[in-house]
Amino acid sequence: MSVTIDIAGLPTERITFAPSPLAELCMALHALSQPAHHPGLASWTTATAAALDRSLAERLLEAEFMWRSSFSDIFMAFAGVPGGTGRPAATLAEELDVLDRMDDERFVMAALEHCWLALYNEGGGPSPLRDPAARAKALEVAAARGPRQLEFSVRLLDDTAGVRVWLRRLLEDCDEAFFAETWQRIEAQQAADARHKTQVLRRKGLAAVLQEVSPALSVDEGRTVITADKMVNGSATATDPAAGPGLVFVPTHFGWPHLLVLHAPGWMPVVHYPLGSPELPAPGSVELLQRRMEALAHPMRMQLCRSLARAPYTTSELATVYGITAPEVSRHLSALKKAGLLRTRRQGRYAQHQLDLAAVARIGSDFIEGILR
């Protein structure tokens, strides 16, 4: 599973690194609504939530499905307004101005993105502003999320202009309440990171800078496709005439463990990447995580791990302990070794095997990182 970005023929100067205050506000709102996803931000989320005005907190609940379980593309409006610069603006107010220029149909489709996740690569299907069946489907999905989401979705479809004004005021109030002060503290570091990665791109090339962005990103030898290792399938092109040529990388302090790839048709692709992770070490691949979980799911391998976690054993010793043949033991050990869960050392003419407890301990954190990436 992965998201790919076609960059065939894309010149280096059309690959941009830049902070986005609106995108970062989205991630800050997500952290507030899902603090368990972000244990390293506990002090910030606790203090900020405690200081929120009750009225503002209630208003945030009305629209939180745009940042709680999925991330609405409206927070990267710079990538979805044809004829724009294709880059984030310097201030939140300027980015909100760009959002105001987005047409109603694109705004509504992006705001209700959670209703179209299965159709994301196809652009979400017909517009619920024009198609009765699409409207009914959007409201059905919203109703399943709860009465607040249904009420907001009805308002959005019936009074799009009014909701757009309401949403802008909500985000401006968030800026006044907590985000302006937070952005002032982190913007300089994000700008410095963007400059650094731009220099790495120019001096060392795309493969080198992608590794600095995230170990989950890679590019093929022909420099035609960027692949993001995620538990979702999708594709985009950075040379789509409808979106305008280009690819933008946006840093975030609030994003870990999420590595987001905007790949909606007609939008410029964007990679929203976290700046480091104080909580957990660098992520393993989704494929390796799946291999490790499958290796440990077998009942006999679970029993073998009980012994291998305590001391090193040879194949014949394990065969004797568990009453199975040595070839059977070898097959099970081979599965554990391919999954990177086993260490082997030679003692004379004997090979001793032992479970790599550090690798096993990583599975829980890797699983969390993998499914949230």
Side-chain angles (χ1 to χ4, degrees), residues 93-129:
E94 290 174 305
E95 292 214 288
L96 291 175
D97 289 342
V98 174
L99 179 59
D100 286 344
R101 294 198 294 271
M102 185 179 292
D103 66 73
D104 282 349
E105 288 196 13
R106 182 166 288 202
F107 178 89
V108 168
M109 292 293 285
L112 296 178
E113 185 177 309
H114 70 284
C115 298
W116 326 110
L117 291 180
L119 299 173
Y120 187 88
N121 284 337
E122 288 75 37
S127 168
L129 289 177

Side-chain angles (χ1 to χ4, degrees), residues 143-176:
R145 299 293 181 95
R148 285 183 182 270
Q149 288 83 344
L150 176 59
E151 180 183 357
F152 182 83
S153 299
V154 171
R155 285 173 53 207
L156 177 63
L157 294 173
D158 290 346
D159 183 18
T160 304
V163 170
R164 295 184 70 154
V165 172
W166 178 89
L167 181 62
R168 175 160 184 153
R169 177 59 60 85
L170 174 66
L171 298 178
E172 289 172 339
D173 289 348
C174 288
D175 188 46
E176 182 179 349

Side-chain angles (χ1 to χ4, degrees), residues 6 16 23 25 80 107 181 223 273 319 325 362 368:
D6 182 355
T16 303
L25 176 54
F107 178 89
E181 186 273 334
R223 196 185 177 277
Y273 65 95
T325 66
R362 276 289 310 273
I368 293 173

Side-chain angles (χ1 to χ4, degrees), residues 229-288:
D229 183 39
K230 290 171 62 70
M231 286 191 177
V232 63
N233 289 315
S235 61
T237 175
T239 56
D240 182 356
L247 171 61
V248 180
F249 289 82
V250 176
T252 169
H253 277 80
F254 288 89
W256 191 94
H258 311 294
L259 175 70
L260 307 180
V261 182
L262 191 166
H263 57 282
W267 292 62
M268 179 181 295
V270 179
V271 177
H272 201 191
Y273 65 95
L275 289 177
S277 165
E279 302 98 326
L280 295 175
S285 71
V286 172
E287 180 184 357
L288 177 60

